[in-house]
Amino acid sequence: MLTGLRVRNFKSWKDSGDIRLAPITLLFGTNSSGKTSLIQLLLLLKQTAESSDRRRVLDLGDANSLVELGTFKDLIHNHQDTDTLSFEITWPGERTDLFECAGDCNGVLPKE
């Protein structure tokens, strides 16, 4: 179970800040505030983890996927494809992993 999330440069989020996830988490906000983007990120992570193509850093999906996000430029904040997409996930045991993806997502940099 995920207990925390932070995303930078994903869709409407420049930086989400630390988001605590609990067994029951509700997302509140005005229209176009980024609620759906957070759910899309979780679906993106799920379909990437389940992808049979291990060469893909992120599985951005197609018509048959959980979520179809288009290209890297479509999902990066303000469509600035020179920016770096990063997300941090936390789960029980205090382990945290940070992943970063720049350009066309051909590389993943683990947190140092």
Side-chain angles (χ1 to χ4, degrees), residues 30-46:
T30 60
N31 290 345
S32 299
S33 64
K35 301 177 300 287
T36 301
S37 294
L38 291 176
I39 293 168
Q40 287 176 332
L41 175 68
L42 294 173
L43 292 171
L44 169 67
L45 296 176
K46 178 178 173 53

Side-chain angles (χ1 to χ4, degrees), residues 9 11 13 16 22 28 36 41 51 53 61 63 72 83 87 99 105:
N9 294 316
K11 298 189 77 164
W13 292 97
S16 68
F28 293 95
T36 301
L41 175 68
S51 174
D53 185 355
F72 182 77
D83 283 349
F87 54 90
F99 298 94
C105 290

Side-chain angles (χ1 to χ4, degrees), residues 7-97:
V7 62
R8 292 179 187 95
N9 294 316
F10 182 74
K11 298 189 77 164
S12 62
W13 292 97
K14 178 67 178 164
D15 186 346
S16 68
D18 292 329
I19 299 171
R20 183 180 158 266
L21 301 175
I24 297 177
T25 299
L26 303 174
L27 300 175
F28 293 95
T30 60
N31 290 345
S32 299
S33 64
K35 301 177 300 287
T36 301
S37 294
L38 291 176
I39 293 168
Q40 287 176 332
L41 175 68
L42 294 173
L43 292 171
L44 169 67
L45 296 176
K46 178 178 173 53
Q47 77 189 22
T48 298
E50 292 176 349
S51 174
S52 60
D53 185 355
R54 292 293 165 214
R55 294 171 298 168
R56 266 189 172 166
V57 174
L58 291 175
D59 183 350
L60 301 180
D62 57 26
N64 299 317
S65 301
L66 296 170
V67 64
E68 183 178 7
L69 295 172
T71 67
F72 182 77
K73 190 168 184 172
D74 294 330
L75 65 84
I76 196 76
H77 181 71
N78 287 336
H79 307 290
Q80 299 296 315
D81 60 357
T82 56
D83 283 349
T84 300
L85 168 67
S86 67
F87 54 90
E88 187 173 342
I89 52 178
T90 309
W91 56 86
E94 300 300 317
R95 181 173 172 185
T96 300
D97 282 333

